[in-house]
Amino acid sequence: MKAIVFDQFGGPDVLHEADIEVPQPGPGQVRVRVKAAGLNALDGKIRSGMLETVRPTTLPAVPGGELAGVVDALGEGVSDVHVGDEVLGWSDTGSYAQYALATTVAPKPAGLDWQHAVALPVAGETAERVLNLLGVAAGETVLMHGASGAVGTLAVQLATARGARVIATAGPSNQDYLTSLGATATVYGERLVERVQALAPDGVDAVFDLAGKGALEDSITLRGGTERIVTIADFGARQLGITFSQGSQERSTARLAALAQDAAAGKVVTTVTAYPLGQAATAQQVSDAGHVRGKLVLTVD
Ligand SMILES: NC(=O)c1ccc[n+]([C@@H]2O[C@H](COP(=O)([O-])OP(=O)(O)OC[C@H]3O[C@@H](n4cnc5c(N)ncnc54)[C@H](OP(=O)(O)O)[C@@H]3O)[C@@H](O)[C@H]2O)c1
């Protein structure tokens, strides 16, 4: 099968197309004929080698942790998914490929296309996990740093659906985008504390840092301490006594299925930019630059 592979760590140009063996599903796994693969900032961090001390990768490797596609083979013991089912979920093997294996998948509603479906698994689980960790409730005000990316697009909507008010940061070109998602928008950078205080004179109840770009000290000032601040991207968090939430293994088919239904019904929107599989290096270059609106995806023939 055709796949995108890297056999050394480095920049996006280490990614190349290769012909590799089609993977065989083990117990509890399904094999999926991939229609769309989701890009995550994590893919570039793994490819660069920066995570080798904490999360070693065996080379050669196929990137990609989420997929949408059609089930084409079942491993032993799988009874709730059938060959021919259209699904979305997390991949156990790299999803930048024509076929990948998966353990946790949810049905793709007919009204949701492949590209928008693959925007949901990682971003949806992350957004929901952190909002739960922060205990965001109706009537509260949440500050989100860097909310115009894949996770932020869903986090803003899931928080406002809980009845919370969201103040969200992004660059100047994404202010209208944040507003369209339901947030009160402001730019990141200088005088952030004063600007947020002006927007929320009674203070912010919780802070969700999605950017990892040095906003934690401002967050402590705004919260008056380290309570109810969570980051998913700032590796300096623990030194400041702030919670870093890691990718969770508590993946839920039921919650992903419900999110997919909401997306198909238009209750949750995603924004995607798609590249063909062969342009994975270009897509990762865009992702590495860190100014993506919504989700980058790869389409697979
Ligand atoms: N720990 C976990 O479980 C977990 C799970 C998923 C993702 N992540 C991490 O979370 C981060 C966000 O991922 P993502 O896929 O949503 O999006 P992303 O591609 O990393 O981009 C997020 C947003 O950050 C904004 N941004 C850029 N520079 C900024 C700055 N200096 N201050 C504030 N915001 C800034 C960008 O807005 P503009 O374009 O407007 O500049 C962009 O829209 C990544 O680092 C990813 O690796 C962690």
Side-chain angles (χ1 to χ4, degrees), residues 41 45 126 129 146 148-151 171 174 188 210-211 232 245 247 290-292:
K45 296 177 192 176
T126 306
R129 164 171 30 101
S148 50
V151 181
N174 277 319
Y188 47 75
L210 304 105
I232 57 170
S245 178
H291 297 286
V292 178

Side-chain angles (χ1 to χ4, degrees), residues 12-78:
D13 56 349
V14 300
L15 298 174
H16 61 89
E17 220 169 275
D19 243 319
I20 63 169
E21 296 261 313
V22 175
Q24 299 305 322
Q29 289 182 314
V30 299
R31 186 172 65 205
V32 177
R33 172 84 167 89
V34 179
K35 296 285 192 180
L39 256 94
N40 285 285
L42 178 67
D43 303 349
K45 296 177 192 176
I46 292 171
R47 185 215 65 231
S48 73
M50 72 175 273
L51 297 182
E52 276 310 281
T53 51
V54 286
R55 182 185 165 147
T57 297
T58 305
L59 300 178
V62 179
E66 61 191 333
L67 51 72
V70 183
V71 173
D72 94 314
L74 305 178
E76 197 188 310
V78 176

Side-chain angles (χ1 to χ4, degrees), residues 39-43 45 122-123 125-127 129-130 144-153 169-175 177-178 187-189 208-215 231-235 244-248 286-296:
L39 256 94
N40 285 285
L42 178 67
D43 303 349
K45 296 177 192 176
V122 170
E125 185 278 327
T126 306
R129 164 171 30 101
V130 175
M144 296 189 189
H145 299 294
S148 50
V151 181
T153 293
T169 76
S173 63
N174 277 319
Q175 298 294 292
Y177 179 65
L178 291 178
V187 291
Y188 47 75
F208 183 175
D209 171 38
L210 304 105
K213 298 269 168 69
T231 181
I232 57 170
D234 196 322
F235 296 117
F244 185 106
S245 178
Q246 301 272 11
S248 164
V286 172
S287 173
D288 287 359
H291 297 286
V292 178
R293 176 183 295 180
K295 183 81 178 172
L296 296 174

Side-chain angles (χ1 to χ4, degrees), residues 45 126-127 129-131 133-134 136 142-148 151-152 155 167-169 188 192 206-220 223 228-238 240 242-246:
K45 296 177 192 176
T126 306
R129 164 171 30 101
V130 175
L131 294 178
L133 201 54
L134 287 168
V136 172
V142 192
L143 171 62
M144 296 189 189
H145 299 294
S148 50
V151 181
I167 298 174
T169 76
Y188 47 75
L192 181 66
V207 180
F208 183 175
D209 171 38
L210 304 105
K213 298 269 168 69
L216 294 184
E217 294 197 358
D218 281 353
S219 305
I220 293 170
R223 283 282 307 128
R228 297 188 79 190
I229 304 174
V230 173
T231 181
I232 57 170
D234 196 322
F235 296 117
R238 289 193 184 98
L240 293 169
I242 286 174
T243 302
F244 185 106
S245 178
Q246 301 272 11

